[in-house]
Amino acid sequence: MNQETSLFCQVNKAKDMNNLTDLEKKHHPVISVPAVIKGGEPFEVTVEVGKLLAHPNENGHFTQFIDLYADYVFLARVDFTAVTTVPVAKIQVVFPHPGMKTTLRAFARCNLHGVWEATKDVTIG
């Protein structure tokens, strides 16, 4: 089984965030949130594919979607098309419970290189 075939057998993650391969840089979703998140107040979560190294956006190779979860609870999906959309998702989220801790999980699917996951721990003040 070649490397590209094995990418579809799992959810892919960066093996070492301090030493990313070019493949990982192109596919790793980058999650951005405000430094302070207040319970009951909306805030924006941005997930971007290709922020670390440009990902192709052509008919034969593109990011198909980004899914966002809080721990393992589904929050949203943004679908993309080749060429005319850019794989950046901006999603408004509200967590009603101050003091809550959660892990935001972003899953991005490349039509050639499978699903890639990134996480970011957040605390709701």
Side-chain angles (χ1 to χ4, degrees), residues 33-112:
V33 296
V36 176
I37 299 169
K38 295 184 180 180
E41 294 184 13
F43 65 96
E44 186 169 86
V45 177
T46 302
V47 182
E48 184 173 355
V49 175
K51 182 172 184 168
L52 305 175
L53 183 63
H55 185 279
N57 191 17
E58 54 200 40
N59 286 322
H61 188 189
F62 67 101
T63 301
Q64 295 176 304
F65 64 79
I66 294 172
D67 285 347
L68 182 65
Y69 288 75
D71 289 320
Y72 293 97
V73 176
F74 177 75
L75 298 177
R77 171 176 276 191
V78 178
D79 291 305
F80 303 98
T81 58
V83 181
T84 56
T85 59
V86 177
V88 177
K90 294 181 182 271
I91 301 163
Q92 293 292 312
V93 177
V94 176
F95 291 125
H97 307 292
M100 174 181 158
K101 293 183 180 190
T102 190
T103 300
L104 293 174
R105 297 179 185 284
F107 295 91
R109 186 175 195 286
C110 170
N111 69 313
L112 290 183

Side-chain angles (χ1 to χ4, degrees), residues 8-26:
F8 284 95
C9 297
Q10 62 192 348
V11 172
N12 301 290
K13 298 176 187 175
K15 297 195 181 9
D16 178 359
M17 284 302 295
N18 295 318
N19 189 25
L20 297 172
T21 66
D22 284 351
L23 181 73
E24 291 170 333
K25 288 177 187 175
K26 288 179 188 178

